[in-house]
């Protein structure tokens, strides 16, 4: 009876941690979605909407921070949850927070570029990259949702996150190559900030892939 009670407590702690991690990925995906919306409005020269979406992103990122704290607190209670599982789940939570941070950093760059003149081809690149980032984050979200209910599907989707991240890497390099084409006609300061912008988008994609690696481990333990 005592063992059964202990098992229940361990299961409850695990599921509660997963519930909080799921809430966190929802908000992290929100930051990515707002970034894509801001990039589209920016490319269309609709600066007012772009600024509004950036503000929404900042609010979503604050909620991700709060959920990280709540999850850390929940997983620190007692010693029932096996340490390996807890550590892997904490890694997921930390990386979701970093994903939101990179989205925020990209949004800050976009905010600094609001009044800059940027070639349309480069603007379309950030629209494409942020759109792919949304797909990547959505796949990550789906994978987290299935860790307990369908671990094999969760693992499969986690692997697909890596494939999507590779697409963003390819587009990142393609965008960088355009700097040769447009470098002479662009303000140097604008070029530096735009470079930071696509760097943060690429790093957000990398963080999705890193998070997916830990989801693979968690799914294998179910």
């Amino acid at each position: 009876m005592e063992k059964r009670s202990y098992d229940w407590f361990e299961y409850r702690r695990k599921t509660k941690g997963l519930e909080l991690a799921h809430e966190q990925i929802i908000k992290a995906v929100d930051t990515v979605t707002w970034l894509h919306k801001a990039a589209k409005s920016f490319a269309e020269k609709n600066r007012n909407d772009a600024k509004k979406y950036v503000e929404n992103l900042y609010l979503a990122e604050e909620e991700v921070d709060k959920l990280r704290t709540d999850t850390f607190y929940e997983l620190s209670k007692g010693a029932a949850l096996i340490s390996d599982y807890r550590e892997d789940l904490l890694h997921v939570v930390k990386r979701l927070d970093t994903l939101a941070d990179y989205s925020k950093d990209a949004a800050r760059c976009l905010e600094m570029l609001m009044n800059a003149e940027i070639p349309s081809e480069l603007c379309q690149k950030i629209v494409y990259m942020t759109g792919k980032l949304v797909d990547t984050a959505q796949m990550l979200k789906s994978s987290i949702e299935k860790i307990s209910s369908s671990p094999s599907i969760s693992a499969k989707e986690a692997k697909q996150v890596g494939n999507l991240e590779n697409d963003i890497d390819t587009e990142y390099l393609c965008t960088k190559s355009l700097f040769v084409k447009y470098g002479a006609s662009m303000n140097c300061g604008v070029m530096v900030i735009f470079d930071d912008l696509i760097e943060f988008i690429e790093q957000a994609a990398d963080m999705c892939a890193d998070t997916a690696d830990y989801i693979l481990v968690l799914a294998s333990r179910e």
Side-chain angles (χ1 to χ4, degrees), residues 181-198:
K181 178 179 178 180
Y182 292 109
S185 61
M186 287 181 68
N187 175 280
C188 290
V190 170
M191 181 72 78
V192 169
I193 296 170
F194 189 89
D195 186 36
D196 286 342
L197 168 59
I198 63 170

Side-chain angles (χ1 to χ4, degrees), residues 40 67 83 90 119 122 188 193 211:
K40 283 185 67 177
L67 283 166
S83 60
L90 284 171
L122 288 177
C188 290
I193 296 170
T211 309

Side-chain angles (χ1 to χ4, degrees), residues 3-67:
K3 177 68 168 91
R4 186 180 304 169
S5 176
Y6 181 89
D7 287 345
W8 177 88
F9 186 58
E10 181 176 294
Y11 178 77
R12 177 58 190 155
R13 186 68 66 236
K14 180 175 72 173
T15 54
K16 181 62 176 177
L18 283 172
E19 286 169 9
L20 287 167
H22 181 230
E23 288 182 43
Q24 194 186 17
I25 184 59
I26 290 173
K27 291 301 177 182
V29 171
D30 283 348
T31 67
V32 173
T33 302
W34 289 125
L35 179 62
H36 178 54
K37 288 178 179 289
K40 283 185 67 177
S41 293
F42 178 84
E44 295 165 358
K45 300 187 183 301
N46 190 340
R47 302 304 198 240
N48 288 334
D49 279 355
K51 290 177 182 177
K52 178 181 68 176
Y53 294 141
V54 166
E55 288 299 320
N56 289 343
L57 186 157
Y58 292 156
L59 292 173
E61 189 273 336
E62 289 175 6
E63 293 185 57
V64 173
D65 275 346
K66 181 180 182 302
L67 283 166

Side-chain angles (χ1 to χ4, degrees), residues 143-157:
S143 180
I144 288 176
E145 289 172 343
K146 296 180 177 71
I147 287 175
S148 290
S149 61
S150 303
S152 61
I153 298 177
S154 174
K156 182 179 179 181
E157 291 183 345

Side-chain angles (χ1 to χ4, degrees), residues 127-139:
V127 173
Y128 180 84
M129 288 179 68
T130 55
K132 277 290 183 181
L133 184 59
V134 171
D135 293 341
T136 307
Q138 288 284 6
M139 184 63 70

